[in-house]
Amino acid sequence: RIDLPQNVNFIIDTLYEHGFEAYAVGGCVRDSLLGRVPQDWDITTSAKPAQVKAIFDHTIDTGIQHGTVTVMLEHVGYEVTTYRIDGEYEDARHPKEVTFTSNLKLDLERRDFTINAMAYNHRAGLVDEFDGIADLKAHVIRCVGCAHDRFSEDALRMFRAVRFAAQLGFDIEAQTKAAIKELAPALSKVSAERIQVELVKLLTSDHPQMMRDLYELGLTAVFMPEFDVMMQTPQHNKHHMYSVGEHTLHTLEHVRADKILRLTMLLHDVAKPVCITTDEEGQNHFKKHPVVGADMTRKILRRLKFDNRTTDCCCKLVKEHDDRPAITERNVRRAISRIGTELFPLLFEVKRADTLGQSMYKRAEKLEYIAEYESVYRKILADHQCVSKKEMKINGSDLIKMGVEPGPKLGDILDRLYEQVLDDPSLNEAQKLKELANKIITSLI
Ligand code: ATP
Ligand code: MG
């Protein structure tokens, strides 16, 4: 019933030829049954890691202490993990020890959800001890065994329940949900790295607005209390129909499923609650919130151990998301110089999504503004106008040849030349810049 890739069948057959059992298991079985393309193919086997390593030519010790060996075939890795029972869980984080077993059912029993606890090979067909098929058909996320116990063993599973619901468009079964509500605070024991993985998967899923479920179940309170504050902050502003948090959820659906875009939308208004002022008419204003928001974004993404590039990109986009210069080539060049051409296209996506998440008030004008902004941006790039210092037709060594001593003064001169080029791109010619440099040098003497 499931078409396993040739390499997966080869690994399974080879293990059987050596007297072991082997099955495709977990996410790949679930996704195949749903007609989705599996991310990767995991194999579970009765063979011990040393036996797997002895059978295949090229293997990598991925997590040998947990029983996982990666088998390499045609430069693709397949994780082969020995049937195991997870021992007592320490502080809701990791099992103290794992025990290998020769019983497939025990291996399936340790898995988180019924839909993730099915195994398949073409000899035995589908092994489904916990009626995962019924839950797949009913679109339900349900724990294997007692939800309360399973979440107590590993608190990350609570986040995973919402993440799978968001990826698959499923509901979380009532008892599973009740157990999450009760045990949500235990998520604080889980490492930032593991939370980050699940957060990114949820945000880049088809249903990123299920961040709301994470909030309602008490999970965001643990790792991103700033989001709870947004959900609880009304806007009272004609540009908005929703609270800060609800607006945020709407914008998530208006950007592509890209990590940086979705994280940026999640955090673009994070500082609004701390930047509120109310005027005589009772309208709220949120002055400078993008600047404060960029700092808060950095703090949050650092806390969740995001890499520097992701963090820097999101901070920059949060900071710039509401900047609305008068559209002149000069202003747009300055914006490009600040933001860079790698990130600028994302800024337009952020601005559009932000607008689409707002009320209808002035929506057409706002979208028209963004379109005009973008067309001027494109013209500047098409004209190859200078928008970064490194594109200047003069550099430090040119200035040194002209007699300027290396040092801060040289940097100042370059900065002043760059300012002039940003104002007037036609100045970006070697000869003209030399003349301008000479003027600056004489004025400095
Ligand atoms: P994805 O498409 O995101 O890779 P997946 O189901 O393969 O989904 P993984 O995190 O790769 O998810 O885990 C592989 C399998 O290992 C799961 O299907 C599940 O059976 C099991 N598993 C993973 N994490 C846990 C956990 N924290 N507790 C119990 N079982 C888990
Ligand atoms: Mg997987």
Side-chain angles (χ1 to χ4, degrees):
R1 270 208 303 159
I2 297 177
D3 247 342
L4 301 179
Q6 227 180 343
N7 284 341
V8 174
N9 272 328
F10 171 77
I11 293 171
I12 291 172
D13 287 339
T14 307
L15 284 161
Y16 271 94
E17 279 159 24
H18 286 80
F20 302 107
E21 294 172 13
Y23 293 82
V25 71
C28 62
V29 174
R30 177 198 67 222
D31 288 342
S32 299
L33 291 169
L34 286 170
R36 298 167 72 99
V37 181
Q39 298 262 328
D40 37 40
W41 295 86
D42 294 329
I43 292 158
T44 187
T45 182
S46 57
K48 302 287 181 311
Q51 295 168 320
V52 175
K53 285 173 68 169
I55 292 171
F56 296 97
D57 293 338
H58 191 183
T59 64
I60 300 167
D61 291 3
T62 312
I64 212 126
Q65 68 282 22
H66 301 110
T68 304
V69 171
T70 298
V71 173
M72 296 301 298
L73 291 176
E74 295 164 322
H75 306 288
V76 182
Y78 299 87
E79 289 198 351
V80 178
T81 303
T82 305
Y83 295 167
R84 66 173 215 229
I85 306 165
D86 292 344
E88 278 276 298
Y89 273 75
E90 257 177 320
D91 53 24
R93 241 182 297 200
H94 23 52
K96 264 195 205 127
E97 76 240 316
V98 307
T99 317
F100 297 136
T101 168
S102 55
N103 184 342
L104 172 63
K105 184 175 177 195
L106 293 178
D107 180 82
L108 296 176
E109 215 166 31
R110 72 165 171 95
R111 294 173 185 272
D112 45 9
F113 306 109
T114 58
I115 60 167
N116 287 347
M118 292 182 279
Y120 179 88
N121 69 31
H122 55 275
R123 297 161 193 256
L126 189 72
V127 180
D128 178 18
E129 300 279 351
F130 309 100
D131 218 359
I133 272 285
D135 286 335
L136 261 195
K137 284 185 182 151
H139 291 192
V140 166
I141 308 290
R142 181 199 313 269
C143 281
V144 172
C146 167
H148 193 280
D149 293 350
R150 305 312 309 282
F151 293 146
S152 306
E153 287 170 356
D154 178 5
L156 185 72
R157 290 172 186 156
M158 298 187 280
F159 201 139
R160 286 170 61 85
V162 183
R163 184 263 279 195
F164 285 116
Q167 283 182 323
L168 304 172
F170 283 18
D171 293 320
I172 301 172
E173 177 269 330
Q175 285 189 15
T176 304
K177 211 174 209 172
I180 298 177
K181 272 201 168 149
E182 189 187 332
L183 295 170
L187 185 68
S188 64
K189 296 178 193 165
V190 174
S191 73
E193 288 84 352
R194 294 180 79 204
I195 289 176
Q196 185 205 113
V197 170
E198 297 301 325
L199 176 65
V200 169
K201 286 187 175 180
L202 191 162
L203 280 176
T204 55
S205 74
D206 280 352
H207 302 279
Q209 76 279 14
M210 286 191 75
M211 281 297 301
R212 186 189 289 112
D213 299 65
L214 223 47
Y215 161 72
E216 285 167 356
L217 292 169
L219 293 168
T220 51
V222 178
F223 71 96
M224 199 185 280
E226 296 87 348
F227 185 75
D228 292 50
V229 177
M230 283 196 271
M231 289 302 287
Q232 292 148 14
T233 304
Q235 306 223 51
H236 300 309
N237 172 298
K238 55 185 180 292
H239 294 277
H240 288 279
M241 320 192 265
Y242 306 115
S243 69
V244 176
E246 281 296 327
H247 159 73
T248 294
L249 293 172
H250 283 278
T251 64
L252 285 172
E253 296 169 65
H254 289 294
V255 282
R256 282 181 293 131
D258 168 85
K259 175 165 86 170
I260 287 172
L261 284 173
R262 293 267 166 98
L263 280 170
T264 299
M265 294 332 294
L266 180 68
L267 297 169
H268 76 286
D269 280 350
V270 69
K272 272 191 170 177
V274 298
C275 295
I276 293 186
T277 53
T278 309
D279 66 19
E280 317 79 66
E281 285 155 33
Q283 285 269 304
N284 281 341
H285 302 273
F286 308 94
K287 262 213 164 95
K288 301 255 191 233
H289 80 87
V291 177
V292 182
D295 284 343
M296 289 177 70
T297 296
R298 186 168 300 280
K299 231 177 98 191
I300 292 167
L301 296 182
R302 284 250 171 87
R303 195 167 73 213
L304 291 172
K305 305 271 165 69
F306 276 93
D307 60 277
N308 289 338
R309 194 190 88 89
T310 302
T311 305
D312 289 344
C313 289
C314 293
C315 290
K316 223 170 197 179
L317 289 168
V318 168
K319 190 172 193 168
E320 300 283 346
H321 83 270
D322 203 31
D323 187 44
R324 281 163 289 159
I327 309 271
T328 63
E329 289 195 21
R330 181 176 175 280
N331 284 348
V332 177
R333 276 194 300 273
R334 282 181 185 275
I336 302 173
S337 173
R338 229 175 30 243
I339 296 157
T341 48
E342 323 79 58
L343 210 52
F344 222 103
L346 296 195
L347 182 61
F348 291 123
E349 294 186 65
V350 167
K351 283 176 167 294
R352 283 208 175 83
D354 191 15
T355 303
L356 295 175
Q358 294 170 356
S359 68
M360 289 305 290
Y361 178 72
K362 292 196 176 171
R363 177 173 291 184
E365 288 103 303
K366 290 175 192 171
L367 291 174
E368 206 172 297
Y369 170 86
I370 298 167
E372 195 192 338
Y373 198 159
E374 194 163 7
S375 78
V376 172
Y377 169 80
R378 288 189 193 290
K379 176 181 184 293
I380 287 167
L381 293 198
D383 289 352
H384 300 289
Q385 295 183 17
C386 172
V387 287
S388 70
K389 250 185 223 171
K390 61 180 193 295
E391 292 172 307
M392 276 210 291
K393 292 281 179 348
I394 195 166
N395 60 27
S397 43
D398 295 328
L399 291 182
I400 290 168
K401 279 182 211 144
M402 294 170 69
V404 183
E405 304 217 341
K409 204 172 96 183
L410 184 147
D412 286 348
I413 297 172
L414 277 179
D415 285 348
R416 285 168 66 172
L417 290 170
Y418 183 50
E419 285 297 315
Q420 297 195 43
V421 169
L422 281 178
D423 280 342
D424 178 359
S426 74
L427 295 178
N428 195 25
E429 287 175 23
Q431 194 50 41
K432 287 184 185 171
L433 288 172
K434 268 187 194 158
E435 283 163 26
L436 283 173
N438 265 323
K439 272 190 203 160
I440 296 172
I441 292 163
T442 28
S443 78
L444 286 176
I445 293 168

